[in-house]
Each structure stands twice: as structure tokens, then as C-alpha cells.
Amino acid sequence: MSLILEIIGIIILLNTIAAIVTVFRQPRNIAATWAWFLVLVFIPVIGFFIYAFFGRRLPKNRMLLLSGSTKKQVSALIKRQKRQLGKVTPEENTNYQILNRAQGMIEMFMNTATAPLLGNNKVDVYTNGNDFIKQLFADIENAQSSIHIEFYTFYADKIGTQTLNLLTQKAKEGVDVRVIYDAWGSMGTNEKFFRPLIEAGGKAYPFLHNRFNLIDMRVNFRDHHKIVTIDGEYGYIGGMNIGDQYMGWKKKFGNWYDCMMRVHGLGVQGLQSRFILDWNATAPNDKIDPNEKDAIKKYYPEIHTDGNAAMQIVASDPISSMEQIKMGYIKLIGMAHHSIKIMTPYLIPDESVLDALKIAVKSGVRVEIMTPSMPDHAFVYRATQYYTEQLTKLGIKVYAYNNGFLHAKTMVIDDELVSIGSANLDYRSFELNFECNAFVYDKDLANRMEAIYEAAIAESTLQTQQIFANESWWLNFKQHFSRLLSPLL
């Protein structure tokens, strides 16, 4: 018996040492570090298999591929724009007051995300899949030179097949069609599905694909982008993907409420640059040189619109420690004077975002957050419920959307500033995923987003302390337990 206890003791000791070496040898968020340490210590041996899938960092060779290089033109543009910050005139942009007030935020993105301010954009917003797909298909059908598509989810289902058929037809017409999809997010979709497109002259790759997928088992570091550019003139960014559930065709979710923004103007150049960077890392043998003359003419044409929205396209990823989009969210929250309206399917803020929300609501700002009333991921949903209760105690109004699943990732500040993109209000979007958001400085869009939010409130339930008081002890336990896993979710 004593021998068995000694063996168990040795195993526990070795497991603990291995856990320390494994978790602490690479820099990461301290909360995630301790969460992984607890998993490895309290789930001996099996915990390391879990870590192999969810905890390992991105390899250095992949990080180098994705680091990219900034075009000289962009650097020169940013340098010129910095000299004009805070000095925009009414003649230059009717949103001049917003731009001048936001000069600190604009410069922050220039410094941390190499994101120039891109003006003269006409923008439209879609909150359901049918309207989005109808317009997207129309733009694809009218494409003359290039179609670039990058989605976390591109399912091989009904709408996925319809999209593939249309892309294949455009490839046959000689249009440059390129598709990037995330292998994990598009589970079940593979090269065989895209074969008709490839045979027609188009190209499709899984993001940072690895021939030896059984060896590269990482589940984290997903390409969560939802980006489309067409002829370098029209673009899309937001929360929608390609799949039947986003059309509201899946019984499990019913109506799917989301937000996708269509851009016609210079903002498309920011989306195009992000796509090209991801493409060159994913398909290194078929790179696009954005500095080459023909590429500039083809992918960055002159665009003339009567739009007035100015925006910055901001990407964040696990390569940089800056967490650019999270910094943008914190900056937006800090800039609010009277109102903050947020939509997010996953409400799992870290301490810095929590503090920003606390400061805002205690400063007299009306803070409202909308989340789903149904889960798509059990642990994430319970953690969201936990933080919902904590935020309501502070005086923040949290609504649960009842008419289907809410998947939009939006923020509206003071009817002036808007963020629309792929990043959720959670650790995964802040630290692990490749995300992309548009930060828009435009009163007209802010007013439209305000109206969209108010309409959604009519289909939502305000969460109150009475609701939480009536919850069972078992539900409370699941919420608190899920909260402990927040840095890993």
C-alpha cells in the first residue's frame, strides 16, 4: 500500500513540475496562466491532452508569416494624417467635430494597428442573413476583376453551396476569386467542397493550413474574420458567416440576429490589406504583392462616392500583445458622455473592460448591453449569465434578446461613434482569435445603429436582480464554475 502511495506521490510531483514548465515558459495573460495551471494540476495527464488542443501558442514560423510589412504608402499617409489630427474643418468632413474629439483614439489605432483614417465611405447595415446575402450575391454577380472572401465559417450546406456555385461561375468568367476559411469554424468543409471553384480557376485555402493536421492540433488562434472585398471598391465586415444558421434556417436557433456592414469607399482598402496579409500567410506560394503596380491598380482602385463616413479598419491577433480591438473598446467606453449601447453574444469581459464599464456607469453614463437568451456554447452562456448579474448590480442595464439568437458585435457611443466587426466582448476575441473591426466616426451611422438597438430592446427582457434571485442553486453553481474558466473560453 505504501508503495502505491509513493508512486502516486511521484506521479503528482512530476505532473506538477511538468505543469509549471508547460504553462509558465511562455508569456500570456496571468488569469489564463493560472487557469491552465489548475487544469493541468487537478486533471493529471488528461489535462495535458486538453492543453495540446486548446492551450499551445502559435508556432514562431506562423507568427513570422503573419507579421507582414507595412506599405510605404500607408506609413506616409499616417504620418500626414497625424499632422492634421484635431484640425479637421467642416469643408473637409461634416463629421469634423466627431473626428476632432476622437483624435486620441484615431492616433492610438495609427500607432498600434497601423490603421489610417479612411474617409468618403457610404455604409449600409444588415441585421439578418437574407438581406445580407441578397446584396452580397448582387455585388458578386457584378464583379469585374476580383472577389476576396474570408470567413470563420463557410459551411458546405444549402447557402454555402449557392455561394460556391456563384463564385465558381465568376471564376469561369475570368474574375480573380480567392477564399480563405477557418478549418475549425467551417468544420466539415474541405478542399473537395471547393473543387468546382478550383477547377474553374478560383482558389480556396483553410487559414494557415497544415498538411499534417493530426500533428498541429491547436484549436485556439482561429481566423474569426468576416471580410469580403469586391473589385477593391465594395466591402463587407461584421459578424455574419456563410451557413444556413445565419440565414435563420436552423431550427435550433430560429431567427438569427446579427450585424454586417457594407462599405463603398476608401474603407475597403483597409479590408483589402487585411485580406492580402492573411492570404500571403496562408498561401505563401501564391502571394499577392500589394506594392506591385498592377496589383495596386487591380486591388486598390480609385473610388468616388458621395459617402461621408470615416473609419479605421483595426485588426488584432495573438501575435501582438497590444490587444488593439480591446484597447479600442476601452477607449470608446472611456470617451462616452451620456450613452453606451453594446451588442455581444458572449459577455465575458476581463478586468480592464470591467473597470472601464464600472467607471462609465458610476460617472453617470447610461450603459446598456444586449446578449442572447439562448446558448450556442454551454460554458460560455453560463459565464455570460454570471457577468450579467455582476453588471446589473452596478446599475448597467443588460437585456436578453428573445427573438432567436443574437450574434451581433456592435458598440454605439453617444450617437457619434460606432464599432462593427467580428470581436466579441470576451477573452478569446481579445487574446486568441484573429479579429477585425471597423471603428466608424459618423453621426448618421450612429443614429441608424441607435434605432436598430432600440428596436431590438422591444424583443428583449431586461435582466433584474429578482430574476437572478429566483435561479436554482444548481444554475448558480454552473454560472460560478463557468466564470472560473473564463480565461480559457
Side-chain angles (χ1 to χ4, degrees):
M1 185 68 178
S2 61
L3 179 60
I4 294 175
L5 291 175
E6 286 181 15
I7 293 173
I8 292 175
I10 292 172
I11 292 174
I12 292 174
L13 176 61
L14 293 175
N15 186 89
T16 303
I17 293 172
I20 293 172
V21 172
T22 299
V23 174
F24 289 95
R25 66 191 174 93
Q26 289 182 324
R28 69 175 82 216
N29 177 282
I30 190 64
T33 298
W34 283 108
W36 276 119
F37 181 69
L38 291 174
V39 168
L40 296 179
V41 169
F42 288 102
I43 312 178
V45 182
I46 296 175
F48 285 91
F49 284 98
I50 297 173
Y51 183 84
F53 280 94
F54 293 95
R56 293 186 299 161
R57 309 299 291 178
L58 199 66
K60 287 185 178 179
N61 63 323
R62 292 297 196 184
M63 294 169 71
L64 289 172
L65 281 171
L66 280 160
S67 61
S69 59
T70 306
K71 290 192 301 180
K72 291 181 180 179
Q73 298 94 319
V74 173
S75 298
L77 174 60
I78 288 176
K79 190 173 181 179
R80 290 197 304 273
Q81 288 184 344
K82 282 184 177 180
R83 292 196 292 265
Q84 298 301 315
L85 289 177
K87 304 174 185 177
V88 182
T89 65
E91 292 74 27
E92 292 173 308
N93 194 300
T94 57
N95 288 305
Y96 71 100
Q97 291 179 323
I98 298 174
L99 291 168
N100 289 336
R101 280 196 292 269
Q103 66 179 51
M105 182 172 183
I106 294 170
E107 184 167 6
M108 180 187 74
F109 286 141
M110 288 178 175
N111 292 332
T112 63
T114 320
L117 184 66
L118 303 169
N120 302 113
N121 296 285
K122 184 176 181 181
V123 296
D124 296 293
V125 175
Y126 306 95
T127 59
N128 70 79
N130 289 285
D131 291 342
F132 160 58
I133 286 293
K134 182 179 179 181
Q135 184 60 60
L136 176 64
F137 279 11
D139 287 337
I140 290 175
E141 287 172 352
N142 291 327
Q144 300 296 311
S145 61
S146 68
I147 301 170
H148 293 165
I149 289 180
E150 182 175 2
F151 281 110
Y152 172 67
T153 299
F154 197 131
Y155 281 136
D157 53 15
K158 182 179 176 182
I159 196 63
T161 301
Q162 290 179 17
T163 306
L164 176 68
N165 290 341
L166 182 56
L167 293 175
T168 301
Q169 180 57 44
K170 297 305 294 187
K172 290 178 179 178
E173 294 174 10
V175 175
D176 172 23
V177 180
R178 300 174 191 245
V179 177
I180 304 173
Y181 61 97
D182 187 87
W184 184 265
S186 307
M187 193 69 71
T189 303
N190 52 35
E191 183 180 343
K192 182 179 179 181
F193 172 73
F194 287 105
R195 191 168 296 161
L197 172 63
I198 296 169
E199 291 175 349
K203 300 167 184 178
Y205 292 102
F207 180 68
L208 296 183
H209 66 292
N210 188 336
R211 291 184 179 181
F212 307 104
N213 285 321
L214 291 176
I215 297 175
D216 189 7
M217 300 179 293
R218 291 170 179 81
V219 173
N220 286 328
F221 315 117
R222 307 320 317 175
D223 179 10
H224 203 235
H225 296 155
K226 300 94 167 62
I227 294 173
V228 179
T229 68
I230 297 171
D231 291 344
E233 187 170 353
Y234 297 92
Y236 291 83
I237 184 172
M240 293 188 193
N241 290 291
I242 301 296
D244 288 353
Q245 69 193 55
Y246 302 95
M247 304 294 292
W249 296 346
K250 289 288 186 179
K251 188 176 181 180
K252 176 183 177 181
F253 297 109
N255 176 57
W256 188 277
Y257 192 95
D258 217 318
C259 187
M260 203 73 175
M261 182 171 69
R262 179 179 184 261
V263 182
H264 179 208
L266 295 177
V268 181
Q269 295 184 359
L271 298 175
Q272 190 77 286
S273 295
R274 182 68 247 176
F275 176 88
I276 290 175
L277 184 61
D278 293 341
W279 178 267
N280 288 345
T282 295
N285 295 324
D286 186 22
K287 287 185 177 182
I288 298 172
D289 182 358
N291 297 300
E292 196 267 327
K293 268 188 178 180
D294 289 340
I296 292 173
K297 182 178 179 181
K298 182 176 183 178
Y299 301 126
Y300 297 92
E302 290 188 17
I303 304 174
H304 303 284
T305 75
D306 57 358
N308 200 46
M311 67 179 64
Q312 289 174 286
I313 303 300
V314 179
S316 62
D317 53 53
I319 298 169
S320 171
S321 62
M322 297 303 294
E323 299 181 356
Q324 292 91 334
I325 292 178
K326 186 185 83 169
M327 289 175 65
Y329 284 165
I330 293 173
K331 185 69 173 177
L332 278 175
I333 293 168
M335 290 172 63
H337 291 291
H338 59 81
S339 70
I340 299 170
K341 292 179 169 60
I342 299 170
M343 285 185 174
T344 180
Y346 315 127
L347 180 58
I348 311 177
D350 67 7
E351 289 300 319
S352 60
V353 176
L354 273 174
D355 286 343
L357 291 170
K358 289 177 186 177
I359 292 169
V361 73
K362 296 307 178 183
S363 301
V365 177
R366 180 182 176 89
V367 183
E368 300 178 6
I369 303 174
M370 190 174 296
T371 65
S373 62
M374 64 170 69
D376 65 337
H377 302 294
F379 284 113
V380 175
Y381 184 63
R382 297 308 174 197
T384 291
Q385 289 180 319
Y386 171 86
Y387 283 104
T388 294
E389 181 176 3
Q390 303 310 307
L391 291 171
T392 58
K393 290 178 180 178
L394 296 172
I396 293 173
K397 293 184 178 296
V398 183
Y399 296 89
Y401 182 74
N402 298 319
N403 186 23
F405 186 75
L406 181 137
H407 191 250
K409 306 97 165 41
T410 66
M411 191 176 291
V412 187
I413 306 297
D414 290 348
D415 308 324
E416 292 185 345
L417 307 170
V418 177
S419 173
I420 297 175
S422 66
N424 299 304
L425 215 64
D426 65 1
Y427 285 83
R428 176 164 293 278
S429 284
F430 295 158
E431 299 180 17
L432 299 177
N433 286 342
F434 292 83
E435 305 282 5
C436 193
N437 277 35
F439 288 82
V440 189
Y441 311 91
D442 181 59
K443 191 169 185 63
D444 177 64
L445 176 64
N447 288 335
R448 279 185 278 165
M449 294 300 296
E450 175 91 12
I452 287 171
Y453 193 92
E454 293 300 322
I457 284 180
E459 299 179 307
S460 305
T461 300
L462 178 65
Q463 302 301 285
T464 64
Q465 289 303 307
Q466 184 61 46
I467 291 175
F468 296 118
N470 292 332
E471 292 177 343
S472 68
W473 71 268
W474 176 238
L475 180 56
N476 265 273
F477 171 78
K478 289 189 289 186
Q479 291 170 356
H480 282 73
F481 178 76
S482 297
R483 180 252 178 173
L484 294 177
L485 301 176
S486 293
L488 311 183
L489 296 176

